[in-house]
């Protein structure tokens, strides 16, 4: 049985990943900020080899180390999905500041801390896939509208980190995917998004299945449709 650890799994894309992976018979460890408040997640089948809900705060870089010490066995899919978009860092004029530092902490540095803590468990697994939930907004080549300083900057930093991880972890057989889920109807994506969470997650899980044993996909930035995105 495959085992996935996914962050930010209490709502939005992360919750749907947990749901679909459980349906496919995976063991899912769902890492969330407030397990007590994760009622939709906890309604999914819990128990031995099914769903485990654990506490994780992306702003605390010790959090992944504590989790790695607590969790038994290999992790086939490590999915750094938790992310944020701060309205305070959108527009030129007052974007630079603590809100932007927080965005970089959560969107870029926390995924690296997660991979650093779990690389041994991923390397010991059968599937050996790391997925980073990036965004097309982090593409410098694709930026035709400006603004979005904190979100764009932090996702571009995540992309750079993902590329380095793909090179540094290649000799351990780990495939690192940098993913854009599409524009999805979640709290973050809003009601006008083009995809449902079901559609986006099905597409992302197809890409992840293709990445199993496929080092040629490592360090690439993929649209959920499977197309490569420009950096
Ligand atoms: N929706 C889109 O169109 C879209 C497009 C491109 C990329 N993405 C990316 O996809 C990922 C998921 O987004 P979503 O649309 O599902 O957004 P969402 O519904 O707003 O969910 C965000 C998730 O991240 C968690 N999170 C935020 N800050 C955290 C922290 N400090 N520690 C732990 N967890 C934290 C949230 O937990 P709480 O519930 O505790 O706040 C929540 O589970 C994000 O990385 C986002 O940037 C989304």
């Amino acid at each position: 049985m495959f085992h996935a650890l996914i962050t930010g799994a209490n709502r939005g894309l992360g919750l749907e990943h947990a749901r679909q992976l459980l349906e496919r018979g995976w063991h899912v460890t769902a890492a969330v900020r407030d397990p007590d408040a994760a009622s939709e997640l906890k309604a999914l089948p819990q128990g031995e080899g099914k769903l485990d809900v654990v506490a994780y705060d992306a702003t605390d870089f010790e959090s992944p180390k504590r989790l790695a010490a607590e969790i038994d066995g290999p992790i086939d899919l490590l999915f750094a999905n938790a992310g944020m978009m701060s309205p305070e860092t959108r527009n030129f004029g007052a974007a630079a500041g603590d809100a932007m530092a927080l965005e970089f902490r959560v969107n870029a540095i926390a995924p690296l801390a997660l991979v650093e803590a779990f690389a041994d468990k991923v390397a010991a697994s059968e599937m050996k896939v790391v997925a980073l939930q990036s965004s097309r907004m982090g593409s410098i080549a694709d930026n035709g509208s400006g603004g979005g300083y904190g979100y764009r900057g932090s996702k571009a930093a995540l992309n750079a980190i993902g590329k380095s991880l793909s090179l540094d972890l290649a000799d351990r057989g780990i495939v690192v995917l940098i993913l854009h889920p599409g524009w999805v109807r979640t709290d973050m994506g809003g009601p006008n998004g083009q995809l449902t969470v079901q559609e986006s997650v099905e597409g992302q899980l197809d890409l992840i299945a293709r990445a199993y044993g496929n080092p040629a996909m490592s360090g690439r930035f993929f649209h959920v449709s499977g197309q490569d995105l420009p950096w």
Side-chain angles (χ1 to χ4, degrees), residues 10 31 72 118 151 171 179 189 201 219:
N10 55 307
D72 283 336
F118 277 91
Y151 191 71
D171 62 358
L179 300 174
V201 167

Side-chain angles (χ1 to χ4, degrees), residues 7-15 31-34 56-60 80-85 102 106-107 133-137 151 155 158 179-190 193 197 204:
T7 65
N10 55 307
R11 59 188 169 103
L13 286 159
L15 174 64
V32 304
R33 251 202 290 220
D34 185 355
Y56 165 79
D57 185 341
T59 63
D60 172 6
N81 165 76
M84 61 176 293
M85 180 190 270
L102 177 64
V106 171
N107 290 348
Q133 196 70 286
S134 182
S135 169
R136 189 175 197 159
M137 295 271 291
Y151 191 71
K155 293 292 189 181
L158 176 63
L179 300 174
H180 169 60
W183 182 19
V184 190
R185 295 195 284 280
T186 62
D187 292 340
M188 186 187 291
V197 283
Q204 293 205 309

